[in-house]
Amino acid sequence: MRNTITRILEEYTRSWEVMTIKDPSDPAKTIDVVPPYVMNVDNYVKPEHRKDRRWEGSKNEPGYLQTLDKLQKELPNPDNVDPYDSSRGKCRPEVLKAFLETDGSKLLAEGRFKDLRAALIHYAVGIDCSGFVSRALGRVMRLLDIPLELRWKTLGYNTDKVDHFEPDSNRPYRSNCTVIENGGSDFVSPENILPGDILCNRKGKNFHVRVVLETLKNNGDEYYFITAESSAAVDKLRVLRKKWKYVKSSNRMFYRFLDKLECWTEETNWNKKDVKFEFRRPKAFENIDPRSFDYVEDCGQTSAQDYSSFVSRENNAITNSRNVNLRPDCSTKHSAVAVIPKNELVTVDFGECFVSDSPKAGSKWYRAYYHGKAGYLCDITFEPVDSL
């Protein structure tokens, strides 16, 4: 069951890490866009940016806001979280990708943005931390067919979107830090956390939330796990993953970013008295019996036990040669989308192997991710790392 949760969260996280869309200047090509962190408060975006006619539109020419509104009403809402706040830090990946493919050429035609990510930051279209986590939990609850009452207890529901209480699966869930925090159980110790648990960090009015993607093999006194979040750090401003290490004997917590091989950094907020830094288990997952739930897909149903048998866990690898080329396809004939130095940490999906005749017959390629770029790596260019 927990492997199934990891798979769902993994696929959702990838949908935010990088989006591959048709190149607005050449539809025959594709480009990668890294969606930005955006907070859902009015003062996060400059008022003059939202008063721009290109944003608000006119009777004769719809603006970006009208495009977002249209898409969020027409496209499926797989997490059932509030579908109407795409322009306020609560966008869903399906809407954002369609928006970029619909209005991407118009955004670039303005001539004042170096790329589409810069345009999204300018107009404040993206995802904040609670939006990312609430949509992640909503997706897991729907795909595992969690009872509706538990879903509402976990994320609540938007009372301003419904007139009265009805046991209706279409009721939109909320996307709010306080609701997420209160929708979790009491404190869960680091050595007992599971995929789907949330990591809350609150100091005064400042709040941040992450979701646990995966727990890794423990090393005696040390416990390892991976989280995903939409980061507000000024040098990040995107969805990213962190690997964590909890040392039980000293009650200390360390982390490092998964997209770069670096030393462990101690999380100083862990033991601060004026900071709430704690793990919680969403109410929807408190008493899960793996035998009682199925993984539900649009094309049918697969039991959680069968589905988890081919789940690909979070795998990391280190490049073993200079200037490793991340290719857009499984061939050295294609130009690189990124050049990776030696001894760099990359994320590799070992769940599916692609066999190619390049650079030689029988070469094995894998989908890989590096610094927001997605592509393929040949297995001769990296070494798998089970535990860093």
Side-chain angles (χ1 to χ4, degrees):
M1 178 54 140
R2 289 301 173 176
N3 282 341
T4 304
I5 291 178
T6 293
R7 178 58 182 262
I8 298 170
L9 293 174
E10 165 74 15
E11 291 177 349
Y12 171 72
T13 300
R14 285 184 183 177
S15 72
W16 275 115
E17 287 176 318
V18 61
M19 292 182 178
T20 301
I21 66 168
K22 294 179 180 179
D23 188 338
S25 59
D26 186 354
K29 299 180 180 179
T30 61
I31 59 172
D32 290 336
V33 180
V34 178
Y37 168 93
V38 172
M39 189 179 291
N40 69 324
V41 292
D42 291 332
N43 59 7
Y44 189 82
V45 59
K46 294 181 179 180
E48 58 268 27
H49 293 181
R50 287 291 176 87
K51 292 180 180 179
D52 190 306
R53 62 176 177 79
R54 286 165 288 201
W55 171 261
E56 294 185 335
S58 63
K59 292 182 179 180
N60 298 325
E61 184 177 358
Y64 303 133
L65 180 60
Q66 284 74 29
T67 300
L68 282 169
D69 286 342
K70 181 174 182 292
L71 291 171
Q72 63 189 6
K73 291 175 183 177
E74 293 178 350
L75 293 177
N77 187 11
D79 46 57
N80 208 41
V81 175
D82 188 358
Y84 305 115
D85 280 341
S86 291
S87 60
R88 291 175 55 85
K90 306 297 182 184
C91 203
R92 58 186 189 269
E94 298 84 1
V95 170
L96 185 55
K97 184 174 182 177
F99 171 68
L100 290 172
E101 293 188 332
T102 301
D103 278 359
S105 57
K106 291 171 59 178
L107 287 165
L108 293 179
E110 291 189 27
R112 51 178 172 166
F113 306 122
K114 65 176 183 179
D115 53 29
L116 288 175
R117 174 175 162 84
L120 293 176
I121 292 174
H122 176 87
Y123 286 113
V125 180
I127 190 75
D128 64 11
C129 65
S130 62
F132 175 79
V133 172
S134 59
R135 291 197 180 282
L137 297 180
R139 221 161 271 223
V140 172
M141 292 190 295
R142 182 185 70 85
L143 290 172
L144 296 184
D145 199 22
I146 298 294
L148 294 178
E149 184 178 357
L150 284 176
R151 301 188 205 183
W152 295 328
K153 287 182 178 179
T154 300
L155 289 181
Y157 59 89
N158 264 325
T159 55
D160 59 339
K161 298 294 190 300
V162 293
D163 297 327
H164 57 281
F165 183 88
E166 293 178 356
D168 183 354
S169 62
N170 291 323
R171 180 192 310 280
Y173 311 132
R174 299 185 64 186
S175 176
N176 176 277
C177 278
T178 301
V179 173
I180 293 175
E181 183 181 29
N182 294 337
S185 66
D186 293 334
F187 179 79
V188 178
S189 60
E191 60 267 33
N192 293 320
I193 61 171
L194 293 169
D197 289 346
I198 55 176
L199 175 53
C200 303
N201 182 3
R202 180 186 291 277
K203 182 177 181 180
K205 294 183 179 180
N206 296 320
F207 183 91
H208 187 61
V209 63
R210 306 172 177 90
V211 63
V212 176
L213 280 184
E214 184 179 9
T215 53
L216 306 176
K217 185 181 295 185
N218 301 327
N219 183 18
D221 188 47
E222 299 175 348
Y223 295 81
Y224 296 88
F225 59 96
I226 294 172
T227 62
E229 65 187 280
S230 184
S231 173
V234 293
D235 61 335
K236 304 295 181 183
L237 288 179
R238 58 184 171 86
V239 169
L240 53 81
R241 311 179 198 206
K242 286 181 180 178
K243 183 173 182 178
W244 299 78
K245 175 175 68 175
Y246 172 67
V247 183
K248 186 176 181 180
S249 59
S250 60
N251 191 29
R252 297 169 70 189
M253 188 76 73
F254 302 84
Y255 71 87
R256 63 186 181 191
F257 296 99
L258 270 184
D259 61 358
K260 187 176 182 181
L261 189 60
E262 57 186 9
C263 297
W264 290 104
T265 300
E266 183 162 9
E267 177 53 77
T268 56
N269 285 322
W270 175 248
N271 288 313
K272 282 188 177 180
K273 294 183 179 180
D274 61 336
V275 178
K276 288 180 64 177
F277 199 96
E278 59 191 26
F279 297 92
R280 292 176 178 269
R281 181 153 301 148
K283 287 184 170 64
F285 307 150
E286 281 184 330
N287 299 300
I288 280 183
D289 179 353
R291 298 166 297 180
S292 301
F293 294 89
D294 287 336
Y295 181 89
V296 181
E297 296 181 290
D298 293 337
C299 58
Q301 295 186 353
T302 304
S303 70
Q305 183 176 3
D306 292 339
Y307 188 79
S308 64
S309 66
F310 58 87
V311 165
S312 61
R313 62 184 176 84
E314 173 70 31
N315 288 276
N316 298 299
I318 291 180
T319 52
N320 57 17
S321 59
R322 293 176 55 194
N323 300 330
V324 171
N325 291 313
L326 182 67
R327 308 282 184 177
D329 206 344
C330 304
S331 172
T332 56
K333 297 179 181 179
H334 298 279
S335 300
V337 297
V339 179
I340 309 173
K342 187 177 181 179
N343 293 329
E344 279 288 290
L345 181 67
V346 294
T347 301
V348 176
D349 181 4
F350 290 108
E352 187 173 8
C353 174
F354 303 89
V355 180
S356 169
D357 291 332
S358 178
K360 63 180 181 179
S363 295
K364 296 180 180 180
W365 293 74
Y366 296 89
R367 186 74 168 162
Y369 305 83
Y370 175 75
H371 285 198
K373 297 286 187 179
Y376 295 86
L377 288 177
C378 185
D379 65 345
I380 63 174
T381 63
F382 62 83
E383 300 292 336
V385 178
D386 292 328
S387 181
L388 296 174

